[in-house]
Amino acid sequence: MALLEIENIHTYYGHIHALKGVSLDVDKGEIVTLIGANGAGKSTMLKTTSGLLRPRLGAIRLKGEDLTRYRPHEIVAKGVVQVPEGRRIFGRLTVRENLEMGAFAITDPHVIESNLERVFNLFPRLRERQKQVGGTLSGGEQQMLATGRALMASPNVLLMDEPSMGLAPVLVDAIFDTIRQLHAEGTTILLVEQNARMALQVASRGYVLQSGVVVLSDTAELLRQNEMVRKAYLGES
């Protein structure tokens, strides 16, 4: 049994059928990436997984338990935590306050302090800026903060939605170095990323989504070699 199982998910925006029977799975300790063009349904899949959107059909299971009946904050408490597209930090709160917000579902203060120390070790810049207002951080620092906030919830599965969006190339490299480090520590990650080349370098497996349908799934290595993927998503002729 996979840690996270997504089976035959159908999600709608009103009358628009956004996800049309999407199925995928993520094993414990794995990085799995979901790639596709803008509008393919990648972010919709993550929002559905985290409960922000309700599927009309299908099941999403964590350790065999169906999550689709739970509300978003309950899904976070179960261990599925999202780093949202565009960071979406609390701009008027300090760095530390943002991080503490991520631990809202944890009642043990020792766990909170341990998670905080983990985040500060992963992102030393956040330790230096913990009293700074979040909205004054750079884009890269805000991405660190959004990731750190999610880690404060002790996730079983980390959902990452376009972590490199809007960042300079040197910061993109830093973000993917962080993803590699999280993987080395055993964090399970479902990654949505427009930069398919970088995503397929860090992931072990991947799914290609087109118009709300999974059209291809394979190991990351074989996806990098696939002619359709190379032409459509890697910019190769």
Side-chain angles (χ1 to χ4, degrees):
M1 178 191 303
L3 177 60
L4 179 68
E5 299 173 287
I6 296 171
E7 181 182 356
N8 192 35
I9 286 294
H10 291 259
T11 300
Y12 289 73
Y13 292 101
H15 297 295
I16 299 173
H17 198 175
L19 297 178
K20 306 166 185 174
V22 173
S23 297
L24 60 89
D25 59 79
V26 186
D27 291 326
K28 183 175 175 58
E30 217 181 9
I31 299 179
V32 172
T33 189
L34 188 60
I35 62 175
N38 287 333
K42 306 185 301 298
S43 293
T44 300
M45 187 67 256
L46 292 194
K47 289 177 181 177
T48 304
T49 304
S50 60
L52 296 172
L53 295 171
R54 291 281 187 178
R56 291 192 189 175
L57 293 171
I60 299 171
R61 302 184 187 92
L62 180 71
K63 301 178 183 178
E65 181 181 12
D66 192 350
L67 300 179
T68 54
R69 60 191 176 94
Y70 292 112
R71 291 177 290 179
H73 70 278
E74 295 171 324
I75 292 174
V76 169
K78 294 286 183 181
V80 178
V81 186
Q82 184 167 346
V83 183
E85 179 182 350
R87 277 63 103 173
R88 300 186 71 85
I89 63 164
F90 300 101
R92 296 185 179 183
L93 300 184
T94 67
V95 166
R96 189 182 183 97
E97 288 168 340
N98 267 274
L99 294 174
E100 290 171 346
M101 288 291 288
F104 75 91
I106 298 177
T107 57
D108 188 336
H110 298 292
V111 174
I112 294 174
E113 283 302 315
S114 176
N115 287 354
L116 189 62
E117 190 61 24
R118 179 194 182 195
V119 170
F120 284 155
N121 287 336
L122 187 63
F123 302 115
R125 197 169 300 178
L126 295 184
R127 187 193 300 273
E128 298 168 4
R129 289 162 168 72
Q130 59 182 295
K131 295 182 180 179
Q132 187 171 330
V133 174
T136 65
L137 299 176
S138 69
E141 291 166 345
Q142 289 189 19
Q143 185 62 51
M144 294 176 194
L145 182 55
T147 304
R149 181 182 58 191
L151 294 174
M152 288 294 294
S154 300
N156 289 308
V157 180
L158 188 64
L159 310 177
M160 303 191 75
D161 194 356
E162 303 285 7
S164 76
M165 177 180 287
L167 299 182
V170 65
L171 295 177
V172 172
D173 290 340
I175 288 297
F176 278 93
D177 284 344
T178 298
I179 293 172
R180 291 185 182 94
Q181 185 172 344
L182 290 172
H183 177 241
E185 294 175 357
T187 304
T188 303
I189 300 173
L190 177 57
L191 172 66
V192 162
E193 175 55 55
Q194 193 68 31
N195 189 332
R197 185 179 302 278
M198 295 291 286
L200 291 172
Q201 287 175 4
V202 298
S204 55
R205 293 187 298 114
Y207 294 82
V208 179
L209 199 61
Q210 290 182 357
S211 301
V213 177
V214 173
V215 297
L216 185 63
S217 64
D218 215 322
T219 66
E221 181 178 357
L222 289 178
L223 287 176
R224 288 196 301 268
Q225 298 172 12
N226 181 276
E227 183 176 2
M228 183 270 285
V229 173
R230 289 170 57 195
K231 289 181 177 179
Y233 305 112
L234 302 182
E236 300 177 10
S237 58

